[in-house]
Amino acid sequence: MDPLDALMKAAVDAIIIIDHAGTVKRFNPAAERMFGYTEAEITGRNVSLLMPDHHREQHDGYIQRYLQTGQAAIIGKGREEMGRRREGDLFPMALSVGRIEGEGTPYFVGIIKDLTDYQAAKAQVRQLEEQLLHADRLVILGELTAGIAHEINQPLTAIAAYADAGRKMVSQTSGAHSDELQTVCARISEQSRRAGEVVQRLRRLVRSGAVAKGRHDLNQIVTNTLLLFEYELKRTNITLEFKPMKSLDPLYVDEIQVQQILVNLVKNSLDALLESGREDGRILIDVSTRGQQVMISVTDNGPGVPEALQARLFDSFFTTKPKGVGLGLSICKNIAGAHGGNLVYRPAENGGSRFILSLPLEMIG
Amino acid sequence: MGKEHNVCIIDDDEAIREALRLLLFADGLNGVAFESAEHFLAEGTETFFDCMLLDIRMPGIDGLELFQEINRQALPYPVIFITGHGDIPLAVSAIKQGAFDFLTKPFEDGELLAKVRHAIAHYAAECEERRRLHQIQARIDACTPREKDVLRLMTRGLTNKSIAETLDISPRTVEIHRAHVMEKMEAESLPALVRMVASAEQG
């Protein structure tokens, strides 16, 4: 067999060879599957058939300009383009074009990967990230508002009670302006309550981003969450390992919120490992059960949390990160609590940090 | 105004403690304030209170935990929880555990005093009822075993003759016992006696 034929046949990617006029000369089986034309059908026709309309008209021009000026837009490089299947639907593809030198006019070879699945997966991750970001913002906003509502409510309560006490006391005396003073006290009291209501309204508004629990496979939640870190991990030497637990019943949880906890924990580990500059950074996530609880532990081989700071780890507004707000772990603990579970810190044997998230296994009814 | 009522205030916020004390004072009540559950447990458990205002959210031992401790120590006065708007589930759980009532900060005008007065009145009635039952029990205890037999049968509505037959004594003896019973129980009539014994049995 001719080696070129063998290569064309074996290639997983679509390979198309055209001449300088854009006429298809070769069209391999992968290309047949991708575009829906057979090699026999398309050989001799213009390759622009495989492009969206707006490219079609210009394609011949591209080749001519290249041949005349030597200025390459795509040849010798690759880029993402849209392809067009026989049925007319467009799909994203990675296209690289090379020039084949020979006698006379050059030929060009295009190698094409279908990006449909890849882009769908990317879009899914992006959507997940957006959801998490949104959930994060909602929770932070909720936490802040609840904190402020409480802090403002305290003095308002005192003001209203002082005013009520004042009014009562004035009503028991018969001095000058007794009536007016009573009215003044009543107004103070009214207005402080009004302020209290404004704070409560704000709080209710923020709270409406409520928990949405459902049945979810925990292993799946973890796997999906780890997708978010793929890119970040590729840039570092840190390895992330997940040991799922077989035959685990679905949990009754808010998927986004559990993901949020995991994202926070993994992100903390990543930050700690990057800061420590370790060459062999490792993050291990494993799932196990203990009684009616499922335990998800996130362990790293970083420097761990200094003992002096461990007690304050989950406090609101406590942070050791230069740009941190100090709400991450406190929110995570709250979420775990809202699920009937908990989040605790247990130093790992190797001196690294270990966070253990526990969630109830069964909440029937 | 009669006797002065003592109201216990436990709240970690100084301004709220003082404002509540003044408000109670303006209404003729004596507020005694503690800044934490710990302080109360150290100094306040021997004092007699008519009512307690307890902040549900406090650092250290919080309101609910203190309430459980109060129940364990069988301190008898009614507890009104002071809660924020976000603490409604906590407040509900407090009521389920036997708290008298709860107030949401900031309080409506007159709401606090109304609830405190209600709690005090309720507690006073409860004490009065308990005292009355104790008294009835004491009177029953003062009867001889034979008189108690007669009392039991009387409250079942038996005639002197039936009582005599049941206890195998003469009707004349029953009559003497009966007179003693009415006297010791300080009952004006048979229906009054029946009511008395019935309430003591329920209590």
Side-chain angles (χ1 to χ4, degrees):
Chain A
M1 197 189 244
D2 175 39
L4 177 62
D5 283 337
L7 170 71
M8 293 288 278
K9 217 172 162 187
V12 177
D13 294 336
I15 301 178
I16 303 170
I17 297 176
I18 58 170
D19 66 12
H20 71 282
T23 310
V24 175
K25 295 293 179 184
R26 294 297 303 271
F27 201 73
N28 79 335
E32 290 181 329
R33 285 192 295 276
M34 195 179 291
F35 289 96
Y37 295 100
T38 64
E39 185 171 25
E41 274 177 317
I42 201 157
T43 305
R45 302 187 64 175
N46 197 289
V47 72
S48 61
L49 194 64
L50 307 175
M51 300 168 190
D53 292 343
H54 62 279
H55 272 298
R56 233 185 237 192
E57 289 140 23
Q58 294 165 19
H59 189 253
D60 289 346
Y62 292 155
I63 303 183
Q64 292 315 316
R65 193 167 57 245
Y66 167 69
L67 289 175
Q68 282 162 13
T69 66
Q71 280 174 1
I74 183 169
I75 294 155
K77 315 168 191 171
R79 68 176 180 207
E80 288 192 12
E81 272 294 344
M82 295 302 284
R84 178 194 175 100
R85 296 190 217 271
R86 182 182 196 139
E87 292 76 21
D89 49 322
L90 304 180
F91 66 98
M93 61 183 193
L95 168 68
S96 58
V97 179
R99 177 178 167 141
I100 303 174
E101 291 301 345
E103 294 157 23
T105 50
Y107 280 38
F108 300 96
V109 57
I111 299 181
I112 300 163
K113 253 187 224 299
D114 189 334
L115 296 180
T116 307
D117 292 346
Y118 173 72
Q119 295 214 333
K122 244 173 51 181
Q124 212 183 353
V125 169
R126 210 165 34 236
Q127 193 193 354
L128 199 59
E129 275 177 331
E130 274 164 17
Q131 281 176 352
L132 275 173
L133 208 65
H134 181 66
D136 234 12
R137 275 198 225 107
L138 274 185
V139 173
I140 290 180
L141 192 61
E143 189 97 341
L144 281 173
T145 323
I148 292 170
H150 177 73
E151 292 308 325
I152 293 185
N153 224 5
Q154 292 290 102
L156 287 178
T157 302
I159 292 170
Y162 277 127
D164 290 343
R167 186 157 62 106
K168 269 204 173 295
M169 290 172 189
V170 173
S171 74
Q172 288 155 16
T173 63
S174 51
H177 305 303
S178 168
D179 288 354
E180 290 86 345
L181 277 172
Q182 282 189 59
T183 309
V184 168
C185 289
R187 294 285 176 270
I188 294 173
S189 163
E190 270 165 37
Q191 292 304 314
S192 57
R193 282 187 188 96
R194 186 175 146 209
E197 267 158 35
V198 172
V199 175
Q200 290 323 316
R201 259 207 305 278
L202 181 66
R203 198 170 165 200
R204 271 198 296 278
L205 194 73
V206 172
R207 275 196 143 211
S208 52
V211 185
K213 285 189 188 174
R215 298 214 156 269
H216 297 284
D217 177 357
L218 181 66
N219 291 327
Q220 198 56 52
I221 293 182
V222 178
T223 311
N224 287 344
T225 309
L226 299 188
L227 282 178
L228 298 176
F229 291 99
E230 256 177 18
Y231 176 68
E232 216 163 338
L233 286 168
K234 270 186 203 156
R235 294 185 310 162
T236 67
N237 291 326
I238 298 165
T239 55
L240 198 159
E241 192 190 343
F242 169 43
K243 287 189 191 159
M245 189 181 169
K246 281 176 202 151
S247 65
L248 182 67
D249 288 333
L251 297 183
Y252 188 65
V253 293
D254 183 323
E255 186 183 17
I256 298 278
Q257 293 200 333
V258 172
Q259 284 186 338
Q260 197 182 1
I261 298 179
L262 291 169
V263 166
N264 261 290
L265 297 181
V266 174
K267 188 112 190 55
N268 283 347
S269 283
L270 269 177
D271 289 348
L273 287 169
L274 286 176
E275 200 184 327
S276 76
R278 270 188 91 113
E279 285 296 306
D280 60 341
R282 226 169 75 89
I283 303 172
L284 173 69
I285 300 173
D286 75 84
V287 178
S288 62
T289 55
R290 186 186 300 163
Q292 282 306 296
Q293 299 265 305
V294 55
M295 327 286 279
I296 305 115
S297 73
V298 178
T299 310
D300 66 50
N301 59 350
V305 179
E307 213 174 317
L309 302 185
Q310 286 176 16
R312 300 177 59 199
L313 257 184
F314 297 100
D315 291 356
S316 294
F317 307 114
F318 173 75
T319 186
T320 57
K321 297 184 185 181
K323 285 185 178 170
V325 182
L327 279 174
L329 285 174
S330 101
I331 291 170
C332 289
K333 199 171 176 92
N334 282 350
I335 294 175
H339 279 82
N342 200 2
L343 178 66
V344 296
Y345 179 77
R346 299 274 178 268
E349 298 76 12
N350 58 14
S353 75
R354 171 179 291 145
F355 284 88
I356 302 176
L357 166 67
S358 56
L359 294 169
L361 254 184
E362 194 53 300
M363 287 183 63
I364 298 168
Chain B
M1 210 162 285
K3 114 184 201 322
E4 192 175 53
H5 294 291
N6 289 323
V7 177
C8 179
I9 301 161
I10 307 178
D11 196 311
D12 60 306
D13 191 306
E14 193 187 347
I16 292 183
R17 283 201 303 276
E18 194 200 14
L20 290 183
R21 220 173 38 72
L22 286 171
L23 184 57
L24 293 168
F25 172 76
D27 203 50
L29 296 165
N30 180 37
V32 181
F34 297 90
E35 63 181 86
S36 70
E38 286 83 348
H39 275 86
F40 171 78
L41 289 172
E43 297 156 21
T45 53
E46 301 295 321
T47 315
F48 182 87
F49 292 110
D50 296 277
C51 172
M52 177 188 273
L53 289 167
L54 177 54
D55 188 14
I56 209 157
R57 257 176 212 258
M58 291 185 293
I61 300 178
D62 69 26
L64 266 188
E65 287 166 337
L66 178 62
F67 182 60
Q68 281 153 8
E69 182 55 31
I70 287 171
N71 281 341
R72 245 193 310 280
Q73 297 196 16
L75 300 176
Y77 34 79
V79 173
I80 298 175
F81 274 99
I82 300 172
T83 69
H85 278 272
D87 304 328
I88 301 298
L90 278 180
V92 170
S93 126
I95 298 291
K96 279 187 184 157
Q97 291 176 48
F100 184 78
D101 206 342
F102 70 96
L103 284 158
T104 310
K105 282 182 281 195
F107 323 120
E108 290 303 314
D109 189 17
E111 188 190 13
L112 179 123
L113 288 175
K115 288 197 170 179
V116 168
R117 287 284 179 196
H118 183 204
I120 291 173
H122 179 88
Y123 181 47
E126 210 177 66
C127 288
E128 171 56 26
E129 176 64 8
R130 213 172 310 145
R131 201 188 52 74
R132 199 176 68 86
L133 293 180
H134 267 289
Q135 200 177 38
I136 295 170
Q137 193 56 51
R139 289 175 195 165
I140 294 174
D141 292 344
C143 296
T144 64
R146 198 38 128 191
E147 285 165 1
K148 280 182 193 164
D149 289 337
V150 174
L151 169 63
R152 198 175 60 243
L153 296 172
M154 277 168 72
T155 57
R156 276 197 224 152
L158 267 61
T159 60
N160 282 359
K161 193 162 163 258
S162 311
I163 294 173
E165 278 164 16
T166 311
L167 296 177
D168 199 17
I169 50 178
S170 74
R172 172 75 196 132
T173 316
V174 172
E175 243 168 68
I176 294 166
H177 285 316
R178 191 179 176 118
H180 286 159
V181 166
M182 293 302 278
E183 190 182 326
K184 285 185 178 171
M185 293 301 292
E186 296 174 36
E188 295 156 9
S189 62
L190 183 61
L193 180 78
V194 171
R195 273 199 300 276
M196 231 186 256
V197 174
S199 66
E201 277 168 356
Q202 275 168 15

